[in-house]
């Protein structure tokens, strides 16, 4: 689906052991990544990769900052393992959103503010386009709520499509 409407996949990390045990599925995954315009990379340790990504997104850049937060990286890696990430075969990296609609509704005072009608209309228009795009492709979101709408730059997009299904199809379970 076009990234204008749904948060796009930027990169997929694949557990190297799984990839070597499943070469044909690994090739299918690479082809799917290419179709989405996402890089597919094999890594040895997904929890460690997640910790490094979190550091990058936290803005750690200088060696002194990295030394200072070295313990944080290890804590993040062990937290990822504790949460069961070690059992996963893939780590999908999405665009970094600015904020959720839930946060906007609570903190930006969009309801009842005289000029807020334009902001509300813009958000509603973006989300209506996103839902229309899904429907044109024969899918429904199935979990639409303020936490599942995020702003990326100036566009509102949908996330959390894990229970999305075909129109007329059965709903999945989380």
């Amino acid at each position: 689906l076009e990234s204008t409407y749904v948060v796009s996949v930027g990169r997929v990390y694949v557990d190297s052991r799984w990839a070597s045990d499943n070469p044909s599925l690994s090739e299918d995954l690479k082809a799917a990544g290419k179709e989405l315009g996402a890089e597919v990379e094999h890594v040895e340790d997904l929890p460690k990769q997640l910790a490094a990504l979190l550091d990058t997104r936290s803005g750690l850049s200088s060696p002194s900052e990295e030394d200072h937060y070295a313990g944080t990286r290890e804590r993040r890696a062990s937290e990822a393992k504790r949460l069961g990430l070690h059992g996963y075969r893939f780590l999908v990296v999405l665009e970094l959103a600015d904020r959720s609609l839930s946060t906007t509704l609570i903190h930006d005072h969009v309801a009842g503010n005289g000029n807020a009608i334009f902001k509300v209309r813009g958000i509603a228009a973006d989300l209506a386009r996103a839902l229309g795009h899904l429907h044109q492709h024969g899918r429904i979101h199935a979990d639409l709520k303020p936490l599942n709408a995020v702003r990326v730059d100036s566009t509102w997009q949908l996330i959390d499509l894990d229970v999305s299904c075909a129109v007329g199809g059965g709903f999945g379970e989380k």
Side-chain angles (χ1 to χ4, degrees), residues 23-79:
S24 65
L25 291 175
S26 182
E27 288 304 315
D28 290 346
L29 187 59
K30 280 184 186 175
K34 186 175 181 179
E35 183 74 24
L36 291 170
E39 293 180 43
V40 177
E41 183 179 331
H42 296 169
V43 294
E44 295 297 323
D45 187 346
L46 283 178
K48 199 173 234 178
Q49 186 66 43
L50 175 60
L53 285 167
L54 292 172
D55 285 348
T56 301
R57 288 192 172 183
S58 298
L60 300 179
S61 57
S62 73
S64 62
E65 286 178 319
E66 288 185 23
D67 289 342
H68 181 359
Y69 288 102
T72 303
R73 178 178 292 124
E74 290 306 313
R75 282 194 301 279
R76 285 182 175 152
S78 28
E79 179 67 8

Side-chain angles (χ1 to χ4, degrees), residues 31-169:
K34 186 175 181 179
E35 183 74 24
L36 291 170
E39 293 180 43
V40 177
E41 183 179 331
H42 296 169
V43 294
E44 295 297 323
D45 187 346
L46 283 178
K48 199 173 234 178
Q49 186 66 43
L50 175 60
L53 285 167
L54 292 172
D55 285 348
T56 301
R57 288 192 172 183
S58 298
L60 300 179
S61 57
S62 73
S64 62
E65 286 178 319
E66 288 185 23
D67 289 342
H68 181 359
Y69 288 102
T72 303
R73 178 178 292 124
E74 290 306 313
R75 282 194 301 279
R76 285 182 175 152
S78 28
E79 179 67 8
K81 284 182 181 176
R82 187 188 71 74
L83 293 172
L85 184 63
H86 62 280
Y88 287 88
R89 299 177 189 128
F90 314 106
L91 173 61
V92 178
V93 181
L94 304 174
E95 291 176 284
L96 183 59
D98 302 320
R99 64 189 313 140
S100 72
L101 180 56
S102 179
T103 302
T104 297
L105 292 172
I106 293 167
H107 298 289
D108 291 356
H109 309 291
V110 294
N113 182 346
N115 293 329
I117 190 68
F118 300 110
K119 187 181 233 181
V120 171
R121 284 182 181 169
I123 294 169
D126 283 350
L127 296 178
R129 279 191 291 275
L131 291 170
H133 184 75
L134 286 171
H135 296 173
Q136 286 173 350
H137 287 84
R139 306 228 28 106
I140 60 171
H141 188 279
D143 194 19
L144 186 62
K145 59 188 175 190
L147 284 172
N148 291 340
V150 296
R151 186 181 66 204
V152 176
D153 297 322
S154 62
T155 304
W156 287 90
Q157 300 178 6
L158 297 174
I159 60 170
D160 201 9
L161 296 166
D162 60 333
V163 294
S164 170
C165 61
V167 173

